[in-house]
Amino acid sequence: MKEQWIIEAEQNAKDLAKELYEQISDEADDLYIDKYWFFEKVVHYMRAESEE
């Protein structure tokens, strides 16, 4: 059985992922660009920022 902190962390990660996906999708729609391409760019820049 999972510990409570793991369950909470997983739910927080899911919530954050859902929120980010909705924001990315909305932004892509507003810019009239492919959502998958835009998502890949966002992830790329997030990784680049975290490695600095």
Side-chain angles (χ1 to χ4, degrees):
M1 182 161 172
K2 292 182 183 177
E3 294 184 40
Q4 185 62 32
W5 71 269
I6 295 173
I7 295 169
E8 290 173 7
E10 287 176 341
Q11 187 58 51
N12 289 340
K14 287 178 188 177
D15 292 344
L16 179 58
K18 182 179 178 184
E19 183 178 327
L20 287 172
Y21 177 77
E22 289 173 1
Q23 288 179 8
I24 290 168
S25 294
D26 290 346
E27 186 71 21
D29 287 344
D30 290 346
L31 296 171
Y32 302 103
I33 57 176
D34 179 66
K35 291 176 187 175
Y36 182 78
W37 176 87
F38 192 60
F39 178 78
E40 289 291 323
K41 290 296 178 186
V42 169
V43 171
H44 170 77
Y45 291 123
M46 289 172 67
R47 283 185 181 145
E49 285 290 319
S50 70
E51 292 174 357
E52 289 182 356

